[in-house]
């Protein structure tokens, strides 16, 4: 019920048209785009095999921008939530995103391309996540993780549809409010300390604060009639990490969407998301997709408190692609 409510609420939230409000001092423009996509597979006596499935995904982009000549204030909210049903796993989420950005800029001297800039970006998710087929152990939830990036820098905007932002002074804050995940040291926070009996003596930290340099490329352009390309590339380097080797790592977050409007209500979209973060450990699998386990010298796997083998984890490149056709409203 909760999952379905989130999906319906996102669709209703975005039913708003583009608009503009002006006065003598400033101009506000606001609007949004929403897309509801679905996919169904039904198989009866299908010799090649397969499984019946149904999926639905709601994607929303809302914006509200202010311009009073000297100052520009940009606000953007991206939301996404999707559900997938199969007989094997029942209902599970296949999309879950909260991404809010607010940015304030002021031109440098009389320049039309360079500006001082301050930016705040918050990211998290709506619902708990699991590693299927295990649907009882939570590996993520709202604010576990949550990311907040606050930065001051210079923006270069050679055209209305593209900008480059560089900040030598950026704070990146990772929140893990779920204490079980925090005790495990998930998403880069300091893990709990245990005594010899396995009892927690010091709880894991709920916050990992980093300070470093930040670079962002933002592009949004109509590349042809009714076809819009949008991409955001974010790079962060923590140059205050106590581990000198970790200072060489660069966090990468790159999102790209391509929206093709067929007619008033029908749209085709393609979305990709690439992440590399040295603080995020994921389960390692072999070439067949089977989990690799932590092994003793004799080749037998280590077992957890419940007697289950412990999967190996490590830093890996994460990639997600979502393609669909569905109803849209702008």
């Amino acid at each position: 019920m909760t999952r379905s409510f989130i999906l319906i609420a996102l669709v209703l939230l975005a039913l708003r048209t583009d608009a503009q409000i002006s006065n003598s001092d400033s101009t506000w423009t606001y609007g949004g785009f929403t897309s509801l996509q679905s996919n169904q597979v039904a198989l009866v006596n299908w010799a090649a095999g397969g499984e019946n499935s149904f999926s639905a995904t709601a994607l929303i982009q809302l914006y509200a921008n202010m311009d009073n000549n000297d100052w520009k204030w940009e606000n953007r909210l991206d939301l996404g939530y999707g559900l997938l049903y199969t007989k094997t796993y029942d209902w599970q989420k296949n999309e879950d995103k909260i991404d809010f950005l607010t940015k304030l800029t002021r031109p440098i001297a009389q320049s039309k391309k360079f500006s001082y800039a301050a930016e705040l970006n918050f990211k998290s998710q709506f619902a708990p996540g699991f590693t299927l087929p295990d649907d009882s152990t939570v590996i993520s939830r709202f604010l576990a993780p949550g990311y907040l990036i606050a930065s001051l820098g210079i923006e270069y905007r050679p055209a209305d549809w593209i900008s480059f932002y560089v900040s030598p002074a950026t704070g990146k804050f990772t929140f893990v409010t779920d204490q079980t995940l925090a005790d495990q040291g998930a998403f880069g926070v300091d893990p709990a300390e245990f005594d010899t009996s396995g009892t927690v003596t010091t709880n894991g930290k709920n916050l990992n604060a980093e300070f470093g340099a930040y670079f962002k490329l933002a592009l949004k352009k109509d590349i042809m009639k009714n076809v819009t390309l949008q991409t955001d590339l974010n790079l962060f380097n923590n140059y205050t990490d106590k581990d000198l080797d970790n200072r060489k790592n660069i966090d990468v977050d790159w999102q790209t969407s391509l929206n093709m409007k067929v007619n008033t209500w029908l749209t085709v979209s393609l979305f990709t998301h690439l992440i590399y973060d040295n603080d995020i450990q994921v389960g390692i699998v072999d070439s067949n997709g089977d989990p690799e386990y932590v092994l003793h010298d004799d080749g037998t796997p280590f077992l957890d408190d419940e007697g289950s083998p412990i999967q190996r984890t490590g830093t890996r490149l994460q990639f997600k692609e979502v393609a669909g056709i569905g109803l849209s409203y702008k």
Side-chain angles (χ1 to χ4, degrees):
M1 178 65 70
T2 300
R3 295 172 176 176
S4 300
F5 174 78
I6 293 174
L7 191 67
I8 295 171
L10 289 183
V11 176
L12 296 178
L13 178 64
L15 295 181
R16 178 180 292 271
T17 57
D18 292 339
Q20 178 172 307
I21 301 175
S22 302
N23 57 40
S24 58
D25 298 322
S26 61
T27 300
W28 278 92
T29 57
Y30 63 90
F33 171 87
T34 182
S35 175
L36 179 61
Q37 303 170 358
S38 63
N39 179 273
Q40 179 187 11
V41 176
L43 304 174
V44 178
N45 300 325
W46 193 252
E51 187 172 20
N52 296 343
S53 67
F54 174 80
S55 66
T57 303
L59 302 174
I60 294 174
Q61 295 179 354
L62 303 175
Y63 68 87
N65 303 326
M66 185 273 288
D67 186 351
N68 73 347
N69 297 321
D70 291 332
W71 293 92
K72 292 184 179 181
W73 185 19
E74 301 177 32
N75 300 276
R76 188 186 73 200
L77 178 63
D78 288 350
L79 304 173
Y81 193 77
L83 294 173
L84 170 67
Y85 175 82
T86 62
K87 185 177 180 180
T88 300
Y89 297 125
D90 199 20
W91 288 100
Q92 59 180 297
K93 66 177 184 178
N94 60 359
E95 175 66 82
D96 194 354
K97 177 177 68 171
I98 302 172
D99 190 341
F100 173 71
L101 173 72
T102 183
K103 180 171 66 175
L104 188 66
T105 59
R106 180 180 175 87
I108 299 176
Q110 300 301 317
S111 175
K112 295 182 178 180
K113 296 183 179 180
F114 289 91
S115 303
Y116 299 111
E119 183 174 298
L120 195 67
N121 188 198
F122 169 77
K123 298 181 180 182
S124 190
Q125 61 188 41
F126 290 100
F130 307 89
T131 300
L132 298 175
D134 180 2
D135 60 356
S136 59
T137 303
V138 175
I139 61 171
S140 63
R141 63 171 74 243
F142 178 67
L143 287 182
Y147 298 101
L148 181 66
I149 296 179
S151 61
L152 297 172
I154 302 295
E155 182 187 66
Y156 172 59
R157 187 182 291 269
D160 292 339
W161 52 272
I162 187 171
S163 66
F164 302 88
Y165 175 60
V166 178
S167 169
T170 298
K172 180 180 179 182
F173 306 92
T174 303
F175 303 92
V176 182
T177 56
D178 183 291
Q179 194 58 51
T180 300
L181 294 175
D183 289 344
Q184 297 170 4
F187 307 104
V189 299
D190 292 337
E193 296 180 4
F194 301 85
D195 59 21
T196 55
S197 65
T199 302
V200 175
T201 57
T202 302
N203 288 331
K205 301 292 185 181
N206 299 109
L207 173 67
N208 179 32
E210 304 172 80
F211 184 80
Y214 180 63
F215 169 81
K216 180 176 181 178
L217 164 65
L219 179 153
K220 185 176 182 180
K221 184 176 178 59
D222 294 333
I223 56 177
M224 60 182 64
K225 185 178 180 180
N226 293 330
V227 179
T228 302
L229 173 66
Q230 180 173 341
T231 187
D232 291 282
L233 173 64
N234 300 271
L235 306 176
F236 175 78
N237 175 243
N238 177 20
Y239 45 60
T240 61
D241 198 303
K242 297 179 182 179
D243 189 334
L244 295 179
D245 290 334
N246 283 342
R247 296 187 188 180
K248 302 176 184 178
N249 295 312
I250 296 178
D251 297 341
V252 180
D253 190 319
W254 186 11
Q255 301 183 54
T256 299
S257 63
L258 185 67
N259 293 311
M260 295 164 279
K261 197 166 182 61
V262 179
N263 54 37
T264 304
W265 295 99
L266 190 63
T267 185
V268 177
S269 65
L270 174 66
F271 173 80
T272 62
H273 193 178
L274 183 148
I275 295 176
Y276 180 85
D277 189 334
N278 190 66
D279 293 326
I280 300 178
Q281 303 290 302
V282 298
I284 298 176
V285 297
D286 59 23
S287 58
N288 296 322
D290 298 322
E292 296 184 1
Y293 298 109
V294 181
L295 303 178
H296 292 281
D297 293 337
D298 61 1
T300 58
F302 280 89
L303 303 179
D304 59 21
D305 295 337
E306 298 179 353
S308 301
I310 300 175
Q311 186 178 5
R312 291 179 57 209
T313 60
T315 304
R316 291 293 186 270
L317 183 68
Q318 304 173 62
F319 182 76
K320 177 172 69 175
E321 178 262 334
V322 180
I325 180 171
L327 299 176
S328 68
Y329 179 74
K330 182 177 181 181

